[in-house]
Structures are given as C-alpha cells and as structure tokens.
Amino acid sequence: MKFKKKISVIGLGYVGLPLANRLSKYYNVVGFDTNSSRIQELKAGIDRNNDVDQKILVKSKIFFTQNIEETKKSDFFIVTVPTPVDQRKKPNLKSINSACKLVAPNLKKGSIVIFESTVYPGLTEEICKPILENYSKLSSPTDFGIGYSPERINPGDTKHSVEKITKVVSGSNIEISKIIGDIYKTIIKAGVFYAKSIEIAETAKAIENAQRDINIAFVNEIALLCQKLNISVYDVLDAAKTKWNFLPFQPGLVGGHCIGVDPYYLAHIAKKVGAKADIILSGRRLNEQMTSLVFNIIEKKISSNDRILQIGISFKENVPDTRNSKAVELAKSFIDKNYNINVYDTIVDSDEVNKSFGIKLSKLIGRYDVIIIAVSHKFLTNESIDLLKYIKKSSKIFDITGKYRNMFSSKNIKYWSL
C-alpha cells in the first residue's frame, strides 16, 4: 500500500539513511543533508557507511537533495542530525539548532516535526520547540506538532536493523503521539512503545547508552585488576557468565558518537537541575582513560626501535566512522612519541583520516616487531589476512579486543590482551 504523505528526513548519516530507505517503501520521502558530496554519492548509489546496499540505493525512490526548499511540501520532518559534545564535554547543539532553523520556514498547519537525535531530557520542548515557533511564526501544538522518537541504530550491526528494533515514540499530546506511532508502525516489525511524555522518551534514550558505558567501565576496571593478578579477564568472564543473570560485557576502548557522548548529556541536565551524576561520570572517566592506560602498558613491553603495526583506527569493528575513535587516540600516542608505527585499516577513508588526524594509513609490508590489534574488523575475523606472515619469532601481539587469544596461544607467540 502506498501513502500520499510526504516525509522529509533531515540528516542522512547512520540513522537518517536507513530510516529514509525503509520509509520510502511506503511514503514519498525527501532525504536532505547539508553535505553536498554526501548527496552526490547517494544519488550515485554510494553509501560510505555501508548501511544501505548499492543495488537497493540505486533503485531507491528517495529524493536526495541539499536544497531545503525541496522539503516544503512535506507533512512530516524527521530530524536525525548528530548531537556531539564540545571540547569541554558539554552538549554541542549547533547541528540540531541549525536543523530547526532550516525546517521551521517550511512548516505549515498540521505539520509534525519528529526528533531522533540523542538529547538531554527537556531539550526538544525547551530548545527545539521555541526555535521552530520563532522561525515559522506558528505555534505548537495548535498549528504544528512535535515529537521525539529516539534512534536505536547500532552501526555495523546487521542483526538489529531499523525494522527489528522496538520504536519508542512520544508526542506533544496523545493525538500527535498516535499519528507518529502510525507512521513508524508501517516500517517497524518489532512494534511501537508509547512513552508517556517527550521528556520520558528523551531520558530513556540517554540512559540506554549510559548504562552500557557504565557496564563496560566496570569490566574495564576488572580487566585492569586481572592484569595485576596475572590472570585473563576473559577466563574470568567465561566462568562468571555461567550464572544466569550475569551480564557478559567485554572490556575495551569505548569511543564513538553514542556511548562516548550520551553520558555527558545526562550529566549536563543533572547539574542543571541539581542532581548527582557521580556514577555516570565515574564510568565515563575510566573509559576515557583506557587509551592512555593501554598505551602505558604496551610501552613498557616494547622497545623504542621496534617496528609497530596497529590494525584498525575506526571507533568500532566493521564501521568506517572515526569520530571520537579511541583507536585514533592510541595511534597518535605512538606517533607523538616518535615510535615507528604503521596504521592499517581498509574500511575507513584513508584521505579523510589523513585530513582529520594527520595519520597516513599504510599497507602491510614486511614483518613487524609489534602488532597491535586495536579494532577487530571482519578482514581479520574471516582470515583474509594471515597475520603470521607479518610477524617474527620475537614479535609481540597486543590484542586489545581479546578476540584472537585462542589463535595465538597455541603458536608460542608473545601475546597480550586486556
């Protein structure tokens, strides 16, 4: 069944593009982004994030544009722009404020604006709504509606795709909530959950990633303890997870634009209303420190003359995104101290990495004294690369991911993992 409703998706990143793709099967969809090169690539069927297959993208009925005027006839606007933090770890609302200013003049009576970007509780109604009203000369909810439906996209995860994740929806009143829910019901097989208010939905989103951050921080702390005890944290986890209610989180470097950011949004509103965020910030501090802690451990075990290879520089496996990547921080730690290090990653855009971080990616050449597995991309797990070809008898393997401990333990190779 085809619907006449027209939907504009504002922001075509990890969240916006897959959402626009699903919606386009039922609605007239405009995909808007301010990045002209992104729009040109999408029109050519190229998705650098590898979220939507080229064959699907080429046949897509999405109207891609960087001209906001093309969204003017839309009934719904879904905002999926990034909400990062600044250098002081404070919410950076530049993109979402800009999106509101772009959308507002195109609103008409009956329009509904839905926000999916991660925000702190209260932001949608206290910050976004006034901007929309001011620039549209309309009032909400009398003239137009607003809603919040937090994104739950996990980059690189093909199992939990858009349609398979329960969608939390909320609107400025019950009627608007139902209209928003009906839109998402057409594409979400897992169903829709109606939050009692926009603020509740905002808070739920923020705590989802903060909870994960805290759990990983706990396991990271246990991993550091196990280092001192000279036992494997993975052996400990294997034993512990035999209990039915143990949560088997894995240690590692935690960056990215969700888990590494959302806790700061919660901390911001907590401070604003006079509440505490001690546990939230404690977990985040430890995860922020893990890069330097891992670097210090490795540095004590290597020589200044060693030829080093770091595998992986994105913020997580099988994802080309390097935003807030702890693997980038690790590589720069070695570079800044003049170590002879090569960085290898075929998933990321090498030109973008060089431009953004001044790191030139390398090919695999010769044998290395030290190999650091910072990110376990699929080119390692599917064994398309045989690391044994690039090591010496004296080489040391530092596996931050811990995924290759069984591979090397039987080969009499000096191996370390968290």
Side-chain angles (χ1 to χ4, degrees), residues 210-226:
Q211 181 189 65
R212 184 167 175 79
D213 193 40
I214 291 167
N215 281 320
I216 296 173
F218 169 72
V219 177
N220 273 336
E221 194 162 67
I222 297 302
L224 295 172
L225 170 62
C226 289

Side-chain angles (χ1 to χ4, degrees), residues 72-238:
K72 206 158 194 173
K73 295 181 180 180
S74 296
D75 304 289
F76 299 91
F77 297 83
I78 303 179
V79 179
T80 65
V81 298
T83 44
V85 291
D86 60 24
Q87 292 182 342
R88 299 175 299 160
K89 306 300 182 184
K90 303 295 183 184
N92 180 349
L93 306 179
K94 183 178 179 180
S95 291
I96 199 166
N97 287 346
S98 177
C100 290
K101 292 174 184 178
L102 286 170
V103 165
N106 291 340
L107 295 180
K108 57 184 185 247
K109 288 196 174 184
S111 296
I112 294 179
V113 184
I114 307 161
F115 294 90
E116 289 210 4
S117 305
T118 299
V119 297
Y120 56 77
L123 188 144
T124 301
E125 293 175 291
E126 295 171 13
I127 302 294
C128 296
K129 177 183 170 182
I131 295 175
L132 292 171
E133 290 180 327
N134 184 40
Y135 282 80
S136 68
K137 307 303 180 185
L138 299 172
S139 297
S140 177
T142 306
D143 300 319
F144 70 92
I146 60 170
Y148 185 75
S149 181
E151 60 88 6
R152 282 174 164 172
I153 294 296
N154 184 23
D157 185 347
T158 56
K159 181 180 179 181
H160 300 98
S161 52
V162 175
E163 70 277 10
K164 297 175 183 176
I165 307 170
T166 301
K167 198 77 169 113
V168 174
V169 300
S170 57
S172 41
N173 58 40
I174 294 175
E175 180 184 0
I176 292 172
S177 290
K178 186 179 184 307
I179 293 172
I180 295 172
D182 288 343
I183 292 290
Y184 284 116
K185 280 180 181 178
T186 60
I187 64 169
I188 305 295
K189 295 179 181 178
V192 166
F193 176 88
Y194 291 94
K196 292 182 179 179
S197 70
I198 288 177
E199 192 170 25
I200 287 172
E202 292 170 326
T203 309
K205 167 57 181 173
I207 72 168
E208 287 172 15
N209 283 330
Q211 181 189 65
R212 184 167 175 79
D213 193 40
I214 291 167
N215 281 320
I216 296 173
F218 169 72
V219 177
N220 273 336
E221 194 162 67
I222 297 302
L224 295 172
L225 170 62
C226 289
Q227 291 286 326
K228 297 291 187 182
L229 296 173
N230 199 29
I231 59 176
S232 169
V233 66
Y234 300 101
D235 291 341
V236 172
L237 292 173
D238 285 342

